[in-house]
Amino acid sequence: MKDNFLNYNNYVSVDCVVLGYNEVENKLQVLLIKQKGPEPNTAELFKPQYAIPGDLIKEEESLDEAAARILEDLVNVKGLFLEQFFTFGHPDRVKDPKDADWLSTRRKDPLARVITVAYLALVRIDQINPSAGYFAEQTTWRSIKKIPKLAFDHNTIVSKALDIIREHPEQHLVGRELLPNKFTLSQLQNLYEVIQNKELDKRNFRKSIKNNEYLITLDEKQKGVLHKPAQYYAFKKPKK
Amino acid sequence: MKDNFLNYNNYVSVDCVVLGYNEVENKLQVLLIKQKGPEPNTAELFKPQYAIPGDLIKEEESLDEAAARILEDLVNVKGLFLEQFFTFGHPDRVKDPKDADWLSTRRKDPLARVITVAYLALVRIDQINPSAGYFAEQTTWRSIKKIPKLAFDHNTIVSKALDIIREHPEQHLVGRELLPNKFTLSQLQNLYEVIQNKELDKRNFRKSIKNNEYLITLDEKQKGVLHKPAQYYAFKKPKK
DNA sequence: ATACTTATTGTATTTTGTACAATAAGTGAT
DNA sequence: ATCACTTATTGTACAAAATACAATAAGTAT
């Protein structure tokens, strides 16, 4: 009877596309890590590649918890915006020869299939301080316009994340996640322009954004700027 | 050194929410199976529950392929519309006592965690003939308004599928999937009304739907009906 | 010719999207 | 006090899309 039991087993990982917004330079960047092996000085064992942060899930954690743990380990910040967006599970997604060396330092069975659940995180670059964790030799921000060749199928994963955020920026509350607590409408417009990669008309942008139920006008203006001071705004806390 | 290797292993399954449209009764239903064990006459080993069709993935198949296989085995139809929509991976999602008996007939380690990638399928009820496959004792259609208690977290999975189809019916090409090759605008409107669970104004529906780039007017009308015969329409094939 | 049933269509109104440029409110220099 | 400079802020005309609402058309059956 035991012969009828199914027994396929797989690795399951969570990978995080961390999009960081640099307000000063008005740039949207993605957080990459440089792979490292499990031991110090394992660099000679393989040619490290850039990758997005990810890890196998642990036995007792949910997928959401795994994503939070990976980010916490990497950027030492809790409570970031995190959203599952797609699961990548092609049998060959970790079987490119370019990835064999790194896997051999990390897995008992380097050719085993890995199914990965991908998450999107949004952060303000100036608010976090990524530091190499136990799975990263170093971390680096790269412009979403110049993403290098990444390990595994991570280029595909990043592309899909960008598609999703561009589709519905307002649904992803990008303003709340990527701007300071108080901000001007010009700051908000700059952010939308970077995400959508196109210029927006000031008057029309203001008309449409002012319908946003979450936007509230603060009782405060800019001070000390060399021009007409702008009104500050904030986001209401989400309903739920 | 081997001690540093990570070694968490998991079952990965694909579950399919099959939504079927019954045009005559204008009902949207979900396809459920009644669980069966791997051997004939195993019903006495456990109390079978209703569930959505799903199965562990096989070693060499992609997630999409697994979903197609599961449906093919169940409904003997290939080439259905299929879309991945979410992955459910809570550590306890298969550990409810109600599910222990069935798992014990199917798994070497019934308490092992199972992560499931959920797919949405759209079908015309009159076009397919679901038949009990190797994992189903029997199959049944149930109205989306009266879904019984299901095995595992399948009620949650079905709910999420319904949320998704209601959000963007046109993006899911529900017309193409759920109507005959030629159809009237009233048929199309009925379908949208069932999915969105609200009534639509005929004139406004026609105005908006006629902007649909995929809709074409056929050179044919209804015949033999006891009223003004309606024009037939069809959908163009999707671009790619 | 009439009754019956569903298909089809238009108009007025509101809302939303788009294109486009002048004025306002600060600072710093004179 | 005035002026130059910089960014913030606002309105108007037009087009497009969403909404509310009811009369006429084309068949069949009697």
Side-chain angles (χ1 to χ4, degrees):
Chain A
M1 180 161 175
K2 290 285 176 191
D3 292 334
N4 284 320
F5 283 179
L6 289 167
N7 197 26
Y8 302 113
N9 236 356
N10 302 277
Y11 288 108
V12 176
S13 65
V14 164
D15 284 318
C16 298
V17 178
V18 184
L19 294 180
Y21 179 54
N22 178 332
E23 200 198 308
V24 179
E25 301 181 41
N26 200 31
K27 278 185 182 170
L28 199 60
Q29 301 183 292
V30 61
L31 183 62
L32 301 179
I33 64 167
K34 199 164 207 172
Q35 294 172 328
K36 79 171 180 186
E39 300 284 329
N41 305 315
T42 47
E44 62 277 9
L45 294 180
F46 66 99
K47 191 168 179 302
Q49 300 177 79
Y50 288 108
I52 59 174
D55 194 14
L56 298 180
I57 61 172
K58 298 193 171 182
E59 251 170 310
E60 296 300 332
E61 70 188 356
S62 69
L63 301 173
D64 288 357
E65 286 163 358
R69 169 178 61 81
I70 287 162
L71 280 189
E72 203 183 317
D73 180 66
L74 190 75
V75 302
N76 303 309
V77 169
K78 297 186 191 185
L80 293 176
F81 173 88
L82 263 176
E83 186 185 68
Q84 186 200 123
F85 69 91
F86 201 73
T87 296
F88 298 83
H90 194 279
D92 298 332
R93 61 174 289 279
V94 301
K95 292 177 184 165
D96 191 297
K98 77 184 196 304
D99 299 310
D101 286 346
W102 184 84
L103 285 166
S104 70
T105 71
R106 283 276 179 177
R107 303 276 160 75
K108 218 173 274 179
D109 38 3
L111 286 180
R113 181 174 182 179
V114 180
I115 286 149
T116 198
V117 183
Y119 277 74
L120 172 63
L122 299 176
V123 302
R124 284 177 252 166
I125 287 182
D126 62 348
Q127 280 234 325
I128 65 171
N129 182 27
S131 62
Y134 80 92
F135 49 70
E137 192 76 51
Q138 53 179 259
T139 67
T140 176
W141 290 104
R142 288 300 177 91
S143 164
I144 57 168
K145 294 179 181 173
K146 288 184 296 184
I147 298 173
K149 182 142 174 55
L150 304 177
F152 310 116
D153 56 353
H154 287 188
N155 287 96
T156 305
I157 297 176
V158 171
S159 285
K160 187 135 188 165
L162 290 173
D163 289 347
I164 283 173
I165 184 128
R166 283 177 178 145
E167 238 179 292
H168 304 290
E170 68 295 341
Q171 280 181 28
H172 289 275
L173 299 172
V174 296
R176 190 195 316 282
E177 304 302 332
L178 299 183
L179 289 177
N181 289 335
K182 61 182 187 185
F183 54 85
T184 69
L185 293 184
S186 295
Q187 286 177 291
L188 186 59
Q189 183 174 346
N190 285 337
L191 171 59
Y192 272 67
E193 287 180 338
V194 171
I195 289 174
Q196 295 178 27
N197 196 28
K198 67 176 176 188
E199 295 201 345
L200 303 171
D201 179 82
K202 285 185 187 186
R203 286 159 291 192
N204 295 337
F205 176 77
R206 281 159 192 254
K207 253 183 296 188
S208 65
I209 204 70
K210 283 188 173 173
N211 291 330
N212 186 306
E213 53 176 334
Y214 292 117
L215 193 66
I216 51 182
T217 308
L218 297 180
D219 194 21
E220 192 183 348
K221 286 182 179 180
Q222 279 181 327
K223 280 183 183 168
V225 288
L226 295 181
H227 53 79
K228 175 172 176 178
Q231 181 71 47
Y232 279 123
Y233 293 80
F235 281 109
K236 281 182 214 166
K237 292 298 159 216
K239 288 173 189 171
K240 153 90 189 52
Chain B
M1 178 161 176
K2 290 286 175 192
D3 291 335
N4 284 321
F5 283 178
L6 289 166
N7 197 26
Y8 303 113
N9 237 356
N10 302 277
Y11 288 109
V12 176
S13 66
V14 164
D15 283 318
C16 298
V17 178
V18 184
L19 294 180
Y21 179 55
N22 177 333
E23 200 198 309
V24 179
E25 301 182 40
N26 199 31
K27 277 186 184 172
L28 200 59
Q29 300 182 292
V30 61
L31 183 61
L32 301 179
I33 64 167
K34 199 163 208 172
Q35 295 172 328
K36 80 170 180 188
E39 300 285 329
N41 305 315
T42 47
E44 63 277 7
L45 294 180
F46 65 100
K47 191 169 179 298
Q49 300 176 80
Y50 288 108
I52 58 174
D55 194 14
L56 298 179
I57 62 172
K58 298 195 171 179
E59 251 171 310
E60 296 300 334
E61 70 189 355
S62 68
L63 300 174
D64 288 358
E65 286 162 358
R69 169 178 62 81
I70 288 162
L71 281 189
E72 203 183 318
D73 180 66
L74 190 76
V75 301
N76 304 308
V77 169
K78 296 187 191 189
L80 294 177
F81 172 88
L82 263 177
E83 186 185 65
Q84 186 200 124
F85 69 90
F86 201 73
T87 296
F88 298 83
H90 194 279
D92 298 331
R93 61 174 290 277
V94 301
K95 292 177 185 166
D96 192 298
K98 77 185 197 303
D99 299 309
D101 287 346
W102 183 84
L103 285 166
S104 70
T105 72
R106 282 278 177 175
R107 301 279 159 73
K108 217 172 275 177
D109 38 5
L111 286 180
R113 181 175 182 178
V114 180
I115 286 148
T116 198
V117 184
Y119 277 73
L120 173 63
L122 300 176
V123 303
R124 284 177 253 169
I125 287 182
D126 61 348
Q127 278 236 327
I128 66 172
N129 181 27
S131 61
Y134 80 92
F135 49 71
E137 192 75 51
Q138 52 178 259
T139 67
T140 176
W141 290 104
R142 289 298 178 92
S143 163
I144 57 169
K145 294 180 181 174
K146 289 185 293 184
I147 298 172
K149 181 142 174 56
L150 304 177
F152 310 117
D153 55 354
H154 287 187
N155 288 96
T156 306
I157 296 176
V158 171
S159 285
K160 187 135 187 164
L162 290 173
D163 290 346
I164 282 171
I165 184 125
R166 283 178 176 145
E167 242 178 291
H168 304 290
E170 67 295 340
Q171 280 180 28
H172 290 273
L173 299 172
V174 296
R176 190 193 318 280
E177 305 301 333
L178 298 183
L179 289 177
N181 289 335
K182 62 181 186 187
F183 53 87
T184 68
L185 293 184
S186 295
Q187 286 177 291
L188 186 58
Q189 182 174 348
N190 285 337
L191 171 59
Y192 272 68
E193 287 180 339
V194 171
I195 290 174
Q196 295 178 29
N197 196 29
K198 66 176 179 189
E199 295 200 342
L200 302 172
D201 179 84
K202 285 186 186 186
R203 286 159 291 191
N204 295 338
F205 176 77
R206 281 158 192 255
K207 253 184 292 187
S208 65
I209 204 69
K210 283 188 172 171
N211 292 328
N212 187 307
E213 54 176 331
Y214 294 116
L215 193 66
I216 51 181
T217 308
L218 297 180
D219 195 22
E220 191 182 350
K221 285 182 179 180
Q222 278 182 325
K223 280 182 183 168
V225 288
L226 295 181
H227 53 78
K228 175 171 176 177
Q231 180 72 47
Y232 279 124
Y233 293 80
F235 281 108
K236 282 181 213 165
K237 292 297 160 218
K239 286 171 188 168
K240 162 53 191 65

